[in-house]
Amino acid sequence: MHKNCRLAAFLMLVAIAQPAAASPAGLDDFQQQAAEILEANRIPGAGIALVKNGDVLWAGGIGYADLAANHHVLGDTRFRIGSITKIFTALAVLQLVEDGKLALDQPVRDVAPEVPVNNPFETTDPVRVAHLLEHTAGFDDMHFRNMNTDAPLPDSLRDIVQGLEHELDVRWRPGVMHSYSNPGYAVVAYLVEKVSGMPFHRYVDEHLLAPLGMQNARWNADESIAQGYTMSGDGRREVKPRAIHLYPAGQLAASSRDLAHVLQLLLQRGEMNNQRIASDDLIERMETPVTTRAARNGLMHGYGLGNHVITRDGFPLHGHSGGLDGFISELAYSPEHGFGYVVLLNRVDARALHALGELAVAYLANDIASPEAGDLDDNGVTLPLGITGCYRMMNSRNEVLRGLEWLVQVSCINVDDGRAVLRHPVLPQITVLDPVRANLLRESGDAWPSAVFMNDGESPDALEWAGIYFERSNRLFVTLPLVLAMLALLLMFSAFLFFPVWLVRWWRGRLHGAPAIATRVWPLVASALFVLTVIWSLQLELSLLDSVNAITAGIFIGGVAFVVFSFFALYRVLRTWNAGIHPAAKWHSLLVASACALVALYLLYWKLVPLRLWTW
């Protein structure tokens, strides 16, 4: 459900820095190393399952499910699994596809015309069932007011889906690019409900959870699950579980033992307990992206039907991750090598999750050689012609953040010694891409293609890498807005550097009687309001987004105050331009006030001010 913000992920620019996992000598050694990772990262507890060659090697727990109650994590301890729930939603659809009641290429409007999809491309490119499952319909992600609910589990999703009219606006032609959208999973679950004649949660209970033997899995976010935590100062603050409004996208709670059965199902290609839950062909389709432009150009390192690819310890793995307030999880498996793992944590820490995944693969694949970099490259392959140039990200997940992503999610490619060097115009180098075959590329050090350059006749040329869809853009158009933004921020910051000088001079009486003292002060006030609003924004948590509280109200008030004081500061500077102010102070005040006004105009244009998060 919760994903790391795409903007933050891009700005990190590098993989999560963790030491390479040493292959554990045995299960005891694995458990010891896992406990050390938890302790080093201050994670209370973890549920872990390890599966290989059809057998559950271990499904248990390490650490604490509840610190206050001194309850340890056991194999049956339920964690909130977030978006791993999407695997079950996709499997439910695939069962109905196999029964002939749905088709992946079926237009949504043909099945449920009452769903409020606003698609300006409907005549030529309708939203299809597969688009919903692959996040390629072009929908926005769920708006904050639709994140949580206090209502009980509904017997019908119809009212929920019909309340998503803003999220279901199609922002670009369906089937071009992937953009993660939880509302699409609410819609596809409603289709399951409509064609099966059963409430979605009951269909999943009867057709998936029961046959899989998932005895501990529950839809309700009640007090019987492990306690989730978030860091607060030097301690751990408990997170109160809240139900998800779009529950088919991420509401399930399950134990490591429950999810071990899911691993067995996927590794055994749809069969579990001697019964066929889904066909081999449909499981393979589940793991295969089809509907994106990148997939049509050969990139399989992407998102299929509730199933995406990650790399751990050199192996490409299928599966899904999940995250909610207080919980983060990962289910991953290799059908080629017959192993998989589940990691469930009761505090959100992507570094620890990554490290535990690396450790699990090091243990499970200790007798399997992973491909080395270059093993899969075609002989004599070279970089695609025309790849050099600058690009801008186009597949914003949250429309509310599109203004920020438009500015910073840019990159330029230069060729150095036959390799594509991906650089940010002002930040450090992002990565280096080596050619694999045709227009596919891989990150240096990896064996598997993870990027594709697309010059397939569709316009414009594009590059997909790390789930980000970049379209070619003019170098000046990419660089100039970023340089202007950085210059504006530097000028605003300079107001704080000059403030001590003015304060000392005022204290010594050297500014007494100086004209228009306020002209020096107002640009500083506007700059300070901007900084305070940004700092306030960094205190946001998922649970706060859908309500009026100190943080969301502070962001709203701070943003509006910044805009008002920015324009007022510029007005005051211009009004007192000929008042006899010292030229250095006058010009510096003008530059700072102009910078504040420029930033204010940008925020207004992208509707980042006024920002009432609780109504979005």
Side-chain angles (χ1 to χ4, degrees):
M1 186 74 166
H2 166 67
K3 287 279 196 180
N4 290 333
C5 175
R6 293 279 289 280
L7 176 60
F10 184 81
L11 290 175
M12 288 174 67
L13 303 178
V14 293
I16 297 170
Q18 286 281 352
S23 296
L27 185 57
D28 289 343
D29 190 22
F30 169 86
Q31 293 170 343
Q32 177 61 36
Q33 289 191 48
E36 290 170 359
I37 292 172
L38 294 184
E39 183 177 0
N41 292 280
R42 301 180 65 201
I43 308 296
I48 299 175
L50 305 172
V51 175
K52 188 171 183 178
N53 298 328
D55 296 324
V56 179
L57 304 185
W58 180 60
I62 299 172
Y64 292 90
D66 191 318
L67 292 167
N70 199 35
H71 290 164
H72 290 267
V73 179
L74 304 174
D76 292 330
T77 302
R78 286 194 296 276
F79 288 70
R80 302 191 75 184
I81 66 172
S83 284
I84 293 177
T85 304
K86 291 182 173 67
I87 289 178
F88 298 91
T89 303
L91 284 170
V93 172
L94 291 177
Q95 285 185 331
L96 294 172
V97 168
E98 197 159 17
D99 291 342
K101 297 179 180 178
L102 274 177
L104 290 175
D105 63 352
Q106 195 168 7
V108 172
R109 192 170 297 279
D110 290 354
V111 185
E114 67 274 18
V115 175
V117 174
N118 178 23
N119 180 13
F121 312 93
E122 182 69 34
T123 302
T124 57
D125 298 277
V127 173
R128 303 179 187 276
V129 173
H131 292 146
L132 302 177
L133 291 170
E134 291 193 29
H135 302 288
T136 57
F139 296 156
D140 199 1
D141 202 357
M142 62 185 172
H143 289 198
F144 302 143
R145 67 179 184 277
N146 285 329
M147 289 184 66
N148 299 305
T149 183
D150 296 319
L153 210 61
D155 283 333
S156 174
L157 286 159
R158 179 168 181 150
D159 289 344
I160 290 174
V161 167
Q162 290 186 330
L164 298 174
E165 64 275 5
H166 297 295
E167 288 92 328
L168 301 185
D169 281 343
V170 177
R171 297 174 291 164
W172 49 75
R173 186 164 57 85
V176 174
M177 44 189 158
H178 168 92
S179 183
Y180 199 88
S181 173
N182 287 287
Y185 269 71
V187 173
V188 81
Y190 173 64
L191 302 185
V192 170
E193 185 177 282
K194 186 170 183 180
V195 302
S196 70
M198 300 173 65
F200 176 75
H201 57 86
R202 190 183 304 161
Y203 181 93
V204 172
D205 288 347
E206 294 184 12
H207 291 81
L208 290 171
L209 302 186
L212 287 172
M214 297 180 62
Q215 300 174 354
N216 296 300
R218 300 285 187 278
W219 287 103
N220 295 322
D222 56 27
E223 303 301 327
S224 66
I225 60 173
Q227 175 61 56
Y229 296 90
T230 185
M231 295 304 294
S232 179
D234 294 329
R236 299 182 181 96
R237 178 167 58 83
E238 294 184 356
V239 176
K240 181 180 179 181
R242 294 189 64 190
I244 296 171
H245 186 58
L246 310 182
Y247 78 89
Q251 177 66 14
L252 268 177
S255 68
S256 59
R257 187 166 292 148
D258 288 327
L259 294 174
H261 298 323
V262 180
L263 286 174
Q264 290 176 304
L265 172 76
L266 295 169
L267 289 169
Q268 293 162 186
R269 319 314 289 155
E271 187 174 327
M272 182 67 184
N273 297 328
N274 295 318
Q275 54 181 319
R276 176 62 62 178
I277 306 239
S279 72
D280 192 326
D281 288 345
L282 287 177
I283 294 296
E284 185 174 346
R285 172 62 181 93
M286 186 181 188
E287 297 163 351
T288 308
V290 169
T291 65
T292 61
R293 184 181 176 189
R296 291 190 292 275
N297 278 269
L299 184 64
M300 295 295 100
H301 199 282
Y303 195 104
L305 308 176
N307 194 304
H308 64 81
V309 175
I310 61 171
T311 300
R312 294 288 179 266
D313 201 31
F315 289 90
L317 307 175
H318 296 278
H320 215 293
S321 57
L324 295 164
D325 271 351
F327 296 91
I328 191 169
S329 55
E330 189 168 270
L331 180 151
Y333 65 98
S334 170
E336 295 84 3
H337 301 295
F339 68 78
Y341 67 85
V342 171
V343 176
L344 311 171
L345 303 180
N346 59 348
R347 186 174 75 77
V348 176
D349 190 317
R351 290 172 59 89
L353 185 72
H354 183 96
L356 288 165
E358 292 272 299
L359 181 67
V361 175
Y363 172 68
L364 291 165
N366 61 350
D367 57 344
I368 304 170
S370 61
E372 298 291 332
D375 283 354
L376 305 179
D377 297 356
D378 284 349
N379 292 330
V381 66
T382 58
L383 288 174
L385 293 175
I387 194 172
T388 57
C390 291
Y391 300 81
R392 185 184 300 281
M393 173 187 167
M394 301 303 294
N395 59 332
S396 294
R397 173 175 170 178
N398 295 94
E399 193 67 14
V400 71
L401 292 177
R402 188 158 68 97
L404 297 179
E405 292 176 328
W406 181 91
L407 182 66
V408 302
Q409 297 266 43
V410 293
S411 61
C412 296
I413 293 180
N414 297 315
V415 175
D416 183 9
D417 194 25
R419 312 164 89 188
V421 181
L422 198 63
R423 299 182 185 277
H424 194 273
V426 297
L427 296 175
Q429 177 178 303
I430 301 171
T431 193
V432 176
L433 300 172
D434 291 325
V436 177
R437 69 182 70 91
N439 53 349
L440 295 175
L441 306 106
R442 59 174 174 81
E443 293 190 60
S444 291
D446 288 348
W448 303 90
S450 56
V452 61
F453 174 63
M454 294 164 277
N455 59 345
D456 50 6
E458 294 188 38
S459 182
D461 290 352
L463 174 81
E464 180 155 321
W465 167 76
I468 304 174
Y469 180 91
F470 295 99
E471 285 188 351
R472 188 185 296 281
S473 184
N474 179 275
R475 184 178 292 270
L476 180 65
F477 189 56
V478 162
T479 305
L480 183 60
L482 195 58
V483 171
L484 289 175
M486 294 187 68
L487 180 61
L489 294 177
L490 286 173
L491 285 169
M492 292 164 67
F493 179 73
S494 73
F496 298 99
L497 298 180
F498 278 92
F499 174 65
V501 177
W502 298 337
L503 190 64
V504 169
R505 293 187 68 199
W506 175 82
W507 180 66
R508 291 183 175 179
R510 294 184 181 179
L511 289 181
H512 291 173
I517 295 295
T519 299
R520 298 170 170 86
V521 174
W522 288 118
L524 173 65
V525 171
S527 300
L529 283 168
F530 178 82
V531 171
L532 289 173
T533 304
V534 171
I535 292 173
W536 206 240
S537 300
L538 295 176
Q539 312 306 310
L540 268 176
E541 296 179 2
L542 281 175
S543 59
L544 300 175
L545 290 171
D546 63 341
S547 63
V548 180
N549 51 67
I551 302 298
T552 55
I555 292 170
F556 169 72
I557 295 170
V560 171
F562 165 68
V563 170
V564 170
F565 279 92
S566 293
F567 292 130
F568 181 73
L570 184 60
Y571 164 77
R572 287 291 299 173
V573 171
L574 295 175
R575 177 89 184 272
T576 58
W577 188 253
N578 296 316
I581 305 170
H582 188 281
K586 179 169 66 173
W587 280 99
H588 180 256
S589 294
L590 176 63
L591 289 171
V592 175
S594 298
C596 290
L598 179 66
V599 173
L601 285 171
Y602 188 87
L603 296 177
L604 287 168
Y605 176 81
W606 288 106
K607 300 180 181 179
L608 290 166
V609 173
L611 188 58
R612 295 177 295 168
L613 293 171
W614 61 91
T615 66
W616 189 80

